[in-house]
Amino acid sequence: MSKMIFVNLPVADVARSTAFYEAIGFTKDEQFSNEQGASMRWSDEISIMLLSHDFYRSFMPHKAIADTAATSEVILCLSFDSREAVDAVVERAIAAGSKGDVNEPDDHGWMYGRSFEDLDGHSFGPFFMDLEAAKAAMAGDAEAA
């Protein structure tokens, strides 16, 4: 059995959040979705579960849901095959109602990243990395030390 990751996020409006995630390239898995939550597939191994606040609380009744306007809970970094694909997903997120570029774009030549928040303030850091160039840059840093 392959390893899988299910990231569970509390959302104020499951239907609205589902539409947002579809707009940025996720696919809804109807088999694991209902009015309380939606399973949104990023890849065969990674899904984001969009859970209504009440349903989310049923898993974590002893903790408050983070106020994403004031608290950073996690940054979900998604890899893309090109710089252009990173730009495209951020532009789709903005068009779907998110706050784009909540941080300055990050460009190291071999790695390029931008940021956006979903409709509930969950932070994303889409990025592209040229692995061969990254290895070369890190080897150069090690030699300089």
Side-chain angles (χ1 to χ4, degrees):
M1 178 178 192
S2 67
K3 306 280 189 222
M4 298 178 74
I5 296 174
F6 292 87
V7 177
N8 294 274
L9 297 177
V11 299
D13 184 324
V14 173
R16 184 171 177 244
S17 291
T18 298
F20 173 83
Y21 279 81
E22 287 175 326
I24 65 168
F26 284 75
T27 304
K28 183 178 178 183
D29 185 343
E30 293 289 347
Q31 182 178 355
F32 300 107
S33 300
N34 59 30
E35 66 282 344
Q36 293 181 5
S39 177
M40 306 303 294
R41 295 192 78 165
W42 174 249
S43 70
D44 288 342
E45 297 83 19
I46 302 171
S47 293
I48 292 184
M49 303 298 294
L50 304 173
L51 307 177
S52 70
H53 283 200
D54 287 342
F55 191 44
Y56 185 88
R57 280 188 197 99
S58 73
F59 296 101
M60 300 294 290
H62 59 288
K63 290 192 175 189
I65 293 174
D67 175 0
T68 57
T71 304
S72 175
E73 60 190 339
V74 66
I75 302 170
L76 301 166
C77 296
L78 305 173
S79 67
F80 289 84
D81 293 332
S82 69
R83 298 166 66 93
E84 294 79 16
V86 169
D87 290 339
V89 76
V90 172
E91 296 309 316
R92 286 193 311 268
I94 292 168
S98 85
K99 293 179 187 174
D101 290 319
V102 294
N103 298 310
E104 290 293 319
D106 195 17
D107 191 348
H108 297 282
W110 51 269
M111 186 174 81
Y112 174 71
R114 291 181 63 188
S115 59
F116 67 87
E117 293 178 352
D118 74 3
L119 303 178
D120 292 274
H122 304 292
S123 298
F124 284 80
F127 73 97
F128 162 72
M129 184 182 325
D130 178 332
L131 290 176
E132 292 306 314
K135 289 176 190 176
M138 290 177 200
D141 288 345
E143 290 173 12

